[in-house]
Amino acid sequence: MSANTSNPSIGIGLHESQINAVTSEAVIAGRFARVTTTTVGVPTATMADAGDSPDGIFAEAYASGAPAAILTDGIFQMEVDGSTVAIPARGRLKPGANGIGIKAADGDRYGAIALEPATTEGAIIRVKIEFGFEVLPVSTALTDADGTAAIVAADMPGAYTDFESTYGGA
């Protein structure tokens, strides 16, 4: 895997918002960040790991204990791994090991949207920093107590809601 230590500032892009924190480990530019707060209220940042909710993307590489800028909005370059599961353009990304971006699966919290595809490990692609949850499949739609579907994503072909029949009209 190619770490971005040779290019500590891959972050050529447009960004508008950031979190300022102190790193508790050496971090790599263009990787997902996880921010926590110490007892004295100082934000501390590490590279997010698989299963973490991302808080942004590191703007540059930083040594442990250094002040760091974590981008929370805009378009930026990010290191991703599309070798196991290909990342399509417009695919949502979540943190993998050491903050590298990987394709989000149903129900995952994501922190960026790929603006370009990637099929290799260590690829650097442009992303739009955006946070949310990947859409759940219809088979896991919310249900009423009797087990009938109550809510299905309205932007899906053939989607419906059971609101009128359950609650007597719109």
Side-chain angles (χ1 to χ4, degrees), residues 12-106:
I12 308 301
L14 305 172
H15 48 81
E16 300 160 2
S17 301
Q18 70 183 39
I19 298 169
N20 295 313
V22 174
T23 61
S24 60
E25 65 181 355
V27 299
I28 299 170
R31 298 267 183 115
F32 279 119
R34 180 78 178 137
V35 179
T36 57
T37 304
T38 64
T39 54
V40 292
V42 176
T44 302
T46 60
M47 287 187 288
D49 271 320
D52 285 346
S53 292
D55 293 312
I57 297 174
F58 285 106
E60 297 180 29
Y62 300 101
S64 181
I70 299 158
L71 306 177
T72 59
D73 190 23
I75 296 173
F76 200 68
Q77 292 186 34
M78 177 172 209
E79 185 176 0
V80 298
D81 181 357
S83 65
T84 303
V85 177
I87 297 169
R90 299 182 66 192
R92 289 165 176 81
L93 303 173
K94 67 176 183 176
N98 296 315
I100 197 163
I102 61 173
K103 186 177 183 309
D106 292 333

